Amino acid sequence: MLPYGRQSIEESDVEAVAAVLRGDWLTTGPAVGRFEAELATWTGGVPCVAVTSGTAALHVAYVAAGLRKGDELVTSPLTFVATAATAALLGVRVVFADVQDDTGNLDPDAAAAALTCRTRAITAVDYAGHPADYDELREVAERAGAVLVADAAHSIGSEYKDRPVGALADLTTFSFFPTKTVTTAEGGAVAATDPERLRRAARFRNHGLVRDPAEQRDPGEGGWHQEVHEFGLNYRLPDVLCALGISQLGRLAAFRERRGELVTRYNRLLRDVPGLGLPVQRAYVRPSRHLYPVRVRDGRRREVYERMRAAGIGVQVNYLPAYWHPVFEDLGYRRGLCPRAEAYYGEELSLPLYPGLTDAQQDRVAQTLSDILR
């Protein structure tokens, strides 16, 4: 079975992890800082805080943004549920706005129409690795006095108008799950353009502990003393996984290049297949593709999905609209809320895409899909 995505691990990754295992630090040690510094070279110098997952990154980012119970967050429904769930867990009301029909990204006009006096944040999702329209979304956020957040779980290494993902929003979240472009097994990160939000993120991921005597209320307690001023959680990414991340980031340019080659080949192999829509790319965007999402027309998506998997090709569907999940239905959300997102979901199919996919394997994917649709 060809998977739709998988990690790319080399001996250098194994050696990097083994070196940490032989050293003095397994949890929070020097590899964490090195990983964060290396990641910042891909965000245009915007500093980063490493955390335990992409979901943790979203939670940390929303806390750093100051979201509280009663606030509203505008976001896309065409995403993994964590984008919305982490806000809902803070007592925030999630307002879903529709997507652009072609990219699947949050539509700035729809986001603007969803604004209320309670809107405190707008979260764009770089669907499949294609950055959202951040200049337009920035205008919408400023109109509301809201924080602009980028869920860049798919888009590390992508660029928008010659600016890197990580420098486009006030807060940017990354995921390093094995199917993503770069992996730390499980892991994530938050990039923050504002020093105070960065400080809040770093503190929240470590139980909220205050260790600097200059910031403590009772600094004379003793050298061992640490305080909690605001609750936090343990979202620390350990040294052993950061070592893997450092090694992986050293190959990010190569990963991006190979994914781009595979996307170009898919475009050529599939361009004349009837009943199939291919992903688009804006002229001002350089995407680092996490997914290759095609759209299967004429109500045949389920048939194609089942026949492809029966042929040993692990296609996937990304994603069920977030408010279709029963947990949101139970909160009163109803189908029909975002018609373009629902139509996109009804046709979307993700084809295998990862650096280790060979040309011959890709030819097999394209030929099988073509045979089914013809």
Side-chain angles (χ1 to χ4, degrees):
M1 174 73 75
L2 283 178
Y4 87 95
R6 75 182 308 273
Q7 67 272 19
S8 299
I9 300 296
E10 294 184 355
E11 188 59 32
S12 58
D13 299 316
V14 177
E15 292 173 357
V17 172
V20 171
L21 291 172
R22 296 187 188 102
D24 296 327
W25 300 89
L26 290 181
T27 54
T28 304
V32 176
R34 292 200 301 271
F35 176 60
E36 291 170 341
E38 184 65 24
L39 184 57
T41 67
W42 289 93
T43 64
V46 177
C48 303
V49 171
V51 294
T52 51
S53 68
T55 300
L58 287 160
H59 191 189
V60 170
Y62 292 153
V63 170
L67 295 186
R68 290 180 171 82
K69 184 176 181 179
D71 291 342
E72 291 185 357
L73 167 82
V74 176
T75 192
S76 163
L78 196 61
T79 181
F80 185 61
V81 68
T83 309
T86 45
L89 284 168
L90 292 171
V92 174
R93 179 175 179 267
V94 181
V95 179
F96 293 102
D98 217 342
V99 302
Q100 298 165 333
D101 180 65
D102 53 354
T103 65
N105 285 332
L106 182 65
D107 184 341
D109 291 337
L115 298 178
T116 73
C117 61
R118 294 184 178 181
T119 304
R120 296 293 178 267
I122 297 171
T123 299
V125 178
D126 296 338
Y127 182 79
H130 189 293
D133 282 315
Y134 282 101
D135 285 351
E136 291 82 356
L137 289 168
R138 172 64 69 186
E139 293 177 5
V140 175
E142 289 179 349
R143 193 182 315 164
V147 176
L148 182 58
V149 181
D151 181 341
H154 293 184
S155 61
I156 187 171
S158 297
E159 296 176 359
Y160 166 85
K161 297 183 179 178
D162 298 322
R163 288 174 283 158
V165 165
L168 304 172
D170 299 310
L171 291 155
T172 303
T173 66
F174 296 103
S175 170
F176 306 123
F177 190 72
T179 58
K180 302 301 196 302
T181 304
V182 166
T183 187
T184 57
E186 289 278 5
V190 179
T193 58
D194 177 71
E196 176 58 23
R197 292 192 182 114
L198 183 74
R199 185 193 67 80
R200 291 192 68 190
R203 185 170 288 179
F204 185 79
R205 63 116 181 240
N206 189 29
H207 299 286
L209 290 172
V210 178
R211 289 173 169 164
D212 184 352
E215 299 180 9
Q216 292 176 346
R217 296 183 186 178
D218 297 303
E221 185 68 21
W224 62 87
H225 185 56
Q226 48 192 352
E227 301 174 346
V228 173
H229 296 180
E230 294 180 286
F231 290 123
L233 295 169
N234 179 2
Y235 281 154
R236 299 188 303 264
L237 190 64
D239 253 39
V240 67
L241 298 186
C242 284
L244 174 58
I246 295 167
S247 180
Q248 288 268 301
L249 285 172
R251 301 204 305 284
L252 176 51
F255 291 157
R256 183 176 62 183
E257 181 179 359
R258 177 55 181 163
R259 286 174 177 269
E261 291 172 354
L262 291 167
V263 167
T264 299
R265 292 190 86 250
Y266 267 139
N267 290 342
R268 175 173 55 81
L269 293 167
L270 299 173
R271 63 190 173 194
D272 297 323
V273 176
L276 191 69
L278 305 186
V280 304
Q281 179 178 329
R282 299 273 195 261
Y284 47 83
V285 163
R286 183 190 181 191
S288 179
R289 284 283 186 187
H290 163 55
L291 301 174
Y292 188 84
V294 298
R295 297 183 69 169
V296 181
R297 313 293 188 186
D298 304 321
R300 298 187 64 190
R301 195 268 306 275
R302 182 164 184 168
E303 173 203 348
V304 173
Y305 170 88
E306 291 175 349
R307 290 179 65 179
M308 291 287 283
R309 292 185 75 90
I313 298 171
V315 292
Q316 185 56 282
V317 173
N318 305 96
Y319 296 94
L320 184 77
Y323 57 82
W324 282 22
H325 287 282
V327 66
F328 280 105
E329 288 183 346
D330 292 347
L331 292 172
Y333 294 82
R334 294 293 177 260
R335 299 188 180 201
L337 181 62
C338 297
R340 291 195 298 272
E342 294 181 19
Y344 197 109
Y345 161 71
E347 297 178 339
E348 196 276 340
L349 193 71
S350 298
L351 304 185
L353 183 67
Y354 49 92
L357 187 71
T358 67
D359 289 358
Q361 289 170 330
Q362 187 181 36
D363 291 342
R364 174 187 159 208
V365 173
Q367 188 63 56
T368 304
L369 179 59
S370 178
D371 290 344
I372 293 170
L373 288 173
R374 291 184 190 279

